[in-house]
Amino acid sequence: MMTNLLRLLTFIILLGSMGAPGMAQPKQEVWYHTGYPGGVGGPGSGMSALTGPTKMPAIFEAILRNRLVEPGQIHTDSLSVTGRASFAPPIDLESLRAVHTDRYLKALFTGEPRSLAMSQGLPTWNEKIAEGWLLNVGGLYAASETALYKRTITANLGHGYHHAAVNRGMGFCTINGLVVAAKKLIRQEKAKRVMIIDLDHHEGNGTAESILGEPRIWNVSIYGSYMGGPLSAENNHVFHVRHDALERGRKRDAHYLAIVSDVLPRLIRLQDPDLILYQAGMDPFDGAGISRNALAIRDAYVFSLCLSLDKPVTWVLAGGYADLNTLVELHTDTVRMANEVLRSVPPGSRIVHQRASAYEWVSRERVITFPSWKLLVEGKLEVHIPERMSGWAVQEFMSERERVLREERLPDDEIQSVYRRLFVGKSSP
Ligand SMILES: [Zn+2]
């Protein structure tokens, strides 16, 4: 039934796009390296679907099997893709040191101390896993650079970023690739401002801690589960959705989508970023009882909004603890929606909201029609916005972060040699 609904959605969109002037936009490009970790065993469901070897390769294989992305748009080392594009090198050390402490990075590169190397909660450490983290963040950076350059939607089929803080991992997140990529693009003057939109069910606490007081990077986290990050601030926008206030089903879906569509347009306009990094978390499905259809239209909305405001987007996988088949369906919906939006939403389109079924959207002659989710809720939005930190409190937070970075600093030679040792006998970096 789900598939039928998606087909219907696709049909509606195609119908709509027939009338649109044929401005072909660059197609979606994806990055994936078979070395992304993974690779640590375990059954293919529940929490293990995230830590085990199964989730990322399964999504990648589903993209190939269903021909969702053309081979020439797939940046991978995988020999199963004939005509593939070149894959990304591992992320450079300088970009990692701009976000994480040397002591933490050394633990990730060497596995010692083991408790710090495994602070994200993975069951083991080895060099291959360590290398995989760097390939993963390298892929994310390459995807974001391409999105900016080609003004399109790109994806990195990796995960494990937003809980990683300055000097430790957490919640299966090891390196905060979102912040690493954003800071690198800014340092290279490829972007002036970057927005991180985080729609994982869990609050992006590591991201918030890493960017607080850095006005060029904004974090927007709409979550159902608080993870201990800092309060709101000028560049940290956090919204705790009270999902339980509404019964599961159409009402709860519409409520969630009403909040997303209430928050995002004004913040994107306010910051006016050059690029959006979108954490397309799928754990609202199992964590908050949001339906597959709602998550698909959420992603269609986010992509349409970004394109209508002329913002390129790079999206990544995140959260999702259902069985593997469900996870693959949820995540490949994001791939499909990015394709649909690129196909049917020409530049200069605008979004209108009209009373309609919660899950229908149409794009016709530069007008993208989404449902009036707020009207469907027929009540107030159940969302808690934490109070704002004072300027003084932000300063305190920043100096504490600086102190940790300083105190955990190692001599350049020492950190460079452990980084290079990971790649001894290999072609890069
Ligand atoms: Zn999550």
Side-chain angles (χ1 to χ4, degrees), residues 50 162-163 171 198 200-203 227 279 281-284 318-321:
L50 185 66
H162 74 156
H163 299 313
D198 187 342
D200 192 90
H201 180 59
H202 301 98
E203 179 230 3
M227 300 299 285
Q279 162 124 333
M282 283 301 156
D283 46 5
Y321 307 98

Side-chain angles (χ1 to χ4, degrees), residues 258-276:
I259 292 167
V260 169
S261 64
D262 189 50
V263 164
L264 294 184
R266 62 187 163 85
L267 289 180
I268 296 174
R269 286 196 178 92
L270 199 58
Q271 194 210 6
D272 191 22
D274 301 303
L275 173 77
I276 288 167

Side-chain angles (χ1 to χ4, degrees), residues 244-305:
D244 288 345
L246 287 101
E247 64 191 62
R248 277 172 189 249
R250 199 182 61 105
K251 275 264 159 72
R252 191 183 289 191
D253 285 352
H255 175 252
Y256 176 55
L257 293 165
I259 292 167
V260 169
S261 64
D262 189 50
V263 164
L264 294 184
R266 62 187 163 85
L267 289 180
I268 296 174
R269 286 196 178 92
L270 199 58
Q271 194 210 6
D272 191 22
D274 301 303
L275 173 77
I276 288 167
L277 299 175
Y278 172 38
Q279 162 124 333
M282 283 301 156
D283 46 5
F285 178 81
D286 40 87
I290 301 299
S291 73
R292 180 182 169 192
N293 287 320
L295 291 170
I297 197 171
R298 177 198 73 179
D299 289 350
Y301 174 75
V302 171
F303 293 135
S304 298
L305 178 67

Side-chain angles (χ1 to χ4, degrees), residues 29 69-75 81-86:
E29 296 187 33
V69 181
E70 289 169 20
Q73 316 286 111
I74 303 177
H75 299 255
V81 187
T82 312
R84 62 191 176 273
S86 58

Side-chain angles (χ1 to χ4, degrees), residues 5 9 197 199 222-223 239-243 246-247 249-266 278 281-282 284-285 288-305 337 351-354 356-361 369-383:
L5 236 159
L9 276 177
I197 294 178
L199 300 188
I222 303 175
Y223 57 87
F239 303 87
H240 189 158
V241 183
R242 309 283 198 209
H243 292 287
L246 287 101
E247 64 191 62
R250 199 182 61 105
K251 275 264 159 72
R252 191 183 289 191
D253 285 352
H255 175 252
Y256 176 55
L257 293 165
I259 292 167
V260 169
S261 64
D262 189 50
V263 164
L264 294 184
R266 62 187 163 85
Y278 172 38
M282 283 301 156
F285 178 81
I290 301 299
S291 73
R292 180 182 169 192
N293 287 320
L295 291 170
I297 197 171
R298 177 198 73 179
D299 289 350
Y301 174 75
V302 171
F303 293 135
S304 298
L305 178 67
M337 289 303 136
I351 291 177
V352 297
H353 290 272
Q354 270 174 19
S357 146
Y359 315 108
E360 277 173 23
W361 65 288
T369 307
F370 281 95
S372 294
W373 291 304
K374 268 188 228 170
L375 291 178
L376 293 168
V377 176
E378 291 166 353
K380 72 178 176 72
L381 299 180
E382 298 287 346
V383 58

Side-chain angles (χ1 to χ4, degrees), residues 23 65 70 72 85 87 233 292 314 350 387 392 398 422:
M23 278 271 291
R65 194 171 57 247
E70 289 169 20
F87 60 90
R292 180 182 169 192
T314 296
R350 67 188 173 91
E387 64 179 272
W392 177 83
M398 288 170 70
L422 273 181

